Amino acid sequence: MAGAIIENMSTRKLCIVGGILLVFQVIAFLVGGLIAPSPTTAVPYTSVKCIDVRKNHHKTKWLMPWGPNHCKKLKDFDEAVSRQIEANDIVFAVHIPLPSKEMSPWFQFMLFIMQLDIAFKMDNDLKENAEITLDVSLAYRDNMFDDWEEIAHAIEIRKLKCTFSSPKTVESEGRHYDCDFLPFMEIGSVAHKYYLINIRLPVNDRKGINVGIGEIKDIRLVGIHQNGGFTKVWFAMKTFLTPSILIIMVWYWRRITLMTRAPVLLEKVIFALGISMTFINIPVEWFSIGFDWTWMLLFGDIRQGIFYAMLLSFWIIFCGEHMMDQNERNRLSGYWKQVGPIAVGSFCLFIFDMCERGVQLKNPFYSIWTTEVGTELAMAFIIVAGICLCLYFLFLCFMVFQVFRNISGKQSSLPAMSKARRLHYEGLIFRFKFLMLITLACAAMTVIFFIVSQVTEGHWKWGDVTIEANSAFFTGIYGMWNLYVFALMFLYAPSHKNYGEDQSNGDLGVNSGEELQLTTTITHVDGPTEVYKLARKEAQE
């Protein structure tokens, strides 16, 4: 009777905790959907063709497309030909942002892609596999009357991928090629109010620089930055979630240290997962509002990589620790075959990120995808990481299958137990299956919401209510994984209930002053976990 009451209370507590977490999950989605604006904004810019006939001009003067000190402009290249202005003396200038606006540190980053307007001409055709050489410079200032300060200068090469749908005849002259967008620039902070980009297309017939690239009419840029309103909501979530996870971590580890036995592997891995989640949560981004920290994008990638590596490792170890083989349990070395692909894949992605965003810390115009060697290297890293991920999921699916098969087999021994212990073990098995289902639900929701955010227009409209789907995806999924880690530490914290091996009359002896905690596999105060004991008992029989 007492065992049934205890298990009913535990199940009821589990339902209450699940309900509370579900409420917080809904709130996380609604915060992004109803309060936050769209995560990013795309702003189109059209360059202005400026004239600069001085030697070493990019070292001495910045050309402004508009304003009181704007440059001498060209309407088109026909005017340049008529005025005998050489291509090397033409500068494409872009001011960021548009007139009467200012950039803000709340924008967090700037990503630019380039589109070239190339016209077909019989005497200046676009060659196959043509490459364009860009002499680009980036500068900033915080006042409209200050001098421009250089941030970066580089000479970059981009491969043109263009198609021409019409026949290449005299009648088709003037029609534009359909060219792919080119990666142009990425900078990891927006610490200044105004930015200026000067682009030159140096021509050298002898070296074949910018020869056979067609007749370029215009250079267009699309700038993408994070919305300030979304940044504030994102920072607020991080600030709220950081102490929440820290508190449950302290409580969880305190429960473990109160035990007279050493922590088992699963307890350590759950705690490490909590640390990695806290590492993501700590809102160091607040400092980016006052400091020009261009490395924040790379730092964010590293934090996410550590968390996902820990999460994947936890799933493997979680399943492995519930296997009925006693030989390799509670030893990290026993999982090297499964954890190895995670380490190799994570290392490959880290190297890829360092080759891309690591180099961009010095040269924001750099892109690993712009050269054949860089593209092959990047694809090699991604393919190796993908193979490791596939191997990991094969291992994981096999282990999950084995766990469910073994647990189902062990359930046949439950009728021979006393009523109290049978109810207790049924609860443990139920909670294991419950956590597996929650894990699958979290993974499925992540994939589903990602797909939905990609295929929808970015927002849903119901009457007068507009829901930002992309913002809801970011805040909802971020909140969901925090709640997942929170639930893990809460449900897997060791309980101080003592289930003795010998129970009389099917009852479970519990002191009246003890608090009944939700437990899963780690419940006994001194010995191994309860599922381990169930497995060992079955093996002995």
Side-chain angles (χ1 to χ4, degrees), residues 315-329:
W315 286 343
I316 283 289
I317 294 172
F318 175 75
C319 292
E321 292 298 282
H322 288 82
M323 300 288 285
M324 300 311 172
D325 180 13
Q326 296 282 335
N327 297 327
E328 301 296 331
R329 185 177 298 132

Side-chain angles (χ1 to χ4, degrees), residues 126-350:
L126 178 65
K127 294 182 179 179
E128 189 176 356
N129 296 323
E131 292 182 341
I132 185 171
T133 300
L134 307 170
D135 184 345
V136 290
S137 301
L138 174 68
Y140 76 89
R141 67 182 181 185
D142 293 308
N143 188 292
M144 291 297 292
F145 304 101
D146 291 344
D147 293 331
W148 291 101
E149 298 288 339
E150 183 177 284
I151 297 177
H153 171 257
I155 296 178
E156 295 291 326
I157 298 176
R158 300 289 189 267
K159 180 171 288 189
L160 299 178
K161 296 180 180 180
C162 304
T163 58
F164 194 68
S165 56
S166 302
K168 293 185 177 181
T169 60
V170 177
E171 290 76 15
S172 298
E173 284 194 347
R175 296 184 181 181
H176 285 197
Y177 286 87
D178 183 14
C179 297
D180 292 347
F181 284 98
L182 303 175
F184 180 68
M185 182 185 75
E186 184 175 31
I187 187 167
S189 69
V190 190
H192 307 287
K193 294 182 180 179
Y194 309 106
Y195 293 86
L196 179 65
I197 298 175
N198 281 180
I199 307 172
R200 290 177 170 83
L201 305 179
V203 176
N204 189 318
D205 294 330
R206 183 172 58 85
K207 295 183 179 180
I209 297 176
N210 286 333
V211 175
I213 60 173
E215 184 173 301
I216 296 178
K217 294 293 187 179
D218 270 313
I219 296 180
R220 304 177 189 273
L221 300 179
V222 178
I224 301 170
H225 61 77
Q226 189 164 294
N227 275 328
F230 178 82
T231 303
K232 294 174 182 178
V233 171
W234 190 253
F235 286 9
M237 283 194 68
K238 281 177 166 282
T239 305
F240 169 76
L241 290 171
T242 298
S244 304
I245 298 296
L246 276 174
I247 289 171
I248 193 67
M249 278 178 59
V250 172
W251 174 83
Y252 172 78
W253 194 247
R254 181 177 176 275
R255 297 299 293 263
I256 293 175
T257 56
L258 290 175
M259 313 287 278
T260 57
R261 60 166 172 81
V264 297
L265 177 61
L266 189 57
E267 291 170 330
K268 295 177 183 177
V269 173
I270 292 175
F271 187 69
L273 184 63
I275 293 175
S276 65
M277 189 77 255
T278 304
F279 189 43
I280 286 184
N281 287 342
I282 295 176
V284 295
E285 290 86 353
W286 282 111
F287 292 101
S288 66
I289 304 302
F291 298 94
D292 188 10
W293 287 356
T294 56
W295 44 266
M296 285 303 297
L297 287 177
L298 178 61
F299 182 60
D301 289 346
I302 293 173
R303 290 196 295 178
Q304 290 186 40
I306 292 173
F307 170 73
Y308 285 119
M310 278 305 309
L311 181 65
L312 297 178
S313 301
F314 162 74
W315 286 343
I316 283 289
I317 294 172
F318 175 75
C319 292
E321 292 298 282
H322 288 82
M323 300 288 285
M324 300 311 172
D325 180 13
Q326 296 282 335
N327 297 327
E328 301 296 331
R329 185 177 298 132
N330 205 27
R331 290 169 48 205
L332 184 60
S333 59
Y335 297 95
W336 69 270
K337 292 181 181 178
Q338 295 86 354
V339 177
I342 301 174
V344 174
S346 300
F347 180 74
C348 288
L349 293 178
F350 172 74

Side-chain angles (χ1 to χ4, degrees), residues 262-442:
V264 297
L265 177 61
L266 189 57
E267 291 170 330
K268 295 177 183 177
V269 173
I270 292 175
F271 187 69
L273 184 63
I275 293 175
S276 65
M277 189 77 255
T278 304
F279 189 43
I280 286 184
N281 287 342
I282 295 176
V284 295
E285 290 86 353
W286 282 111
F287 292 101
S288 66
I289 304 302
F291 298 94
D292 188 10
W293 287 356
T294 56
W295 44 266
M296 285 303 297
L297 287 177
L298 178 61
F299 182 60
D301 289 346
I302 293 173
R303 290 196 295 178
Q304 290 186 40
I306 292 173
F307 170 73
Y308 285 119
M310 278 305 309
L311 181 65
L312 297 178
S313 301
F314 162 74
W315 286 343
I316 283 289
I317 294 172
F318 175 75
C319 292
E321 292 298 282
H322 288 82
M323 300 288 285
M324 300 311 172
D325 180 13
Q326 296 282 335
N327 297 327
E328 301 296 331
R329 185 177 298 132
N330 205 27
R331 290 169 48 205
L332 184 60
S333 59
Y335 297 95
W336 69 270
K337 292 181 181 178
Q338 295 86 354
V339 177
I342 301 174
V344 174
S346 300
F347 180 74
C348 288
L349 293 178
F350 172 74
I351 296 299
F352 166 74
D353 214 28
M354 290 299 296
C355 292
E356 178 79 358
R357 285 182 168 167
V359 177
Q360 287 173 350
L361 297 179
K362 290 294 184 180
N363 178 13
F365 303 105
Y366 174 80
S367 175
I368 195 173
W369 301 100
T370 57
T371 63
E372 292 290 344
V373 175
T375 300
E376 292 176 1
L377 184 64
M379 287 303 299
F381 283 131
I382 293 174
I383 290 172
V384 171
I387 293 173
C388 291
L389 187 63
C390 292
L391 290 174
Y392 165 82
F393 276 107
L394 287 175
F395 280 127
L396 182 63
C397 293
F398 176 71
M399 294 181 72
V400 170
F401 169 76
Q402 281 189 311
V403 170
F404 275 99
R405 186 186 63 181
N406 290 345
I407 285 181
S408 298
K410 302 308 175 184
Q411 285 178 318
S412 61
S413 64
L414 294 179
M417 295 182 181
S418 64
K419 184 176 181 182
R421 297 196 68 78
R422 176 172 55 81
L423 290 172
H424 175 64
Y425 283 117
E426 286 177 348
L428 295 180
I429 293 172
F430 166 75
R431 290 177 194 123
F432 171 79
K433 293 182 177 180
F434 174 80
L435 186 58
M436 290 299 297
L437 291 175
I438 291 296
T439 300
L440 291 174
C442 289

Side-chain angles (χ1 to χ4, degrees), residues 26 30 63 85 94 110 115 171-172 294 319 377 386 436:
V26 173
L30 293 180
L63 301 182
I85 297 174
V94 178
M110 290 190 298
Q115 184 177 30
E171 290 76 15
S172 298
T294 56
C319 292
L377 184 64
M436 290 299 297

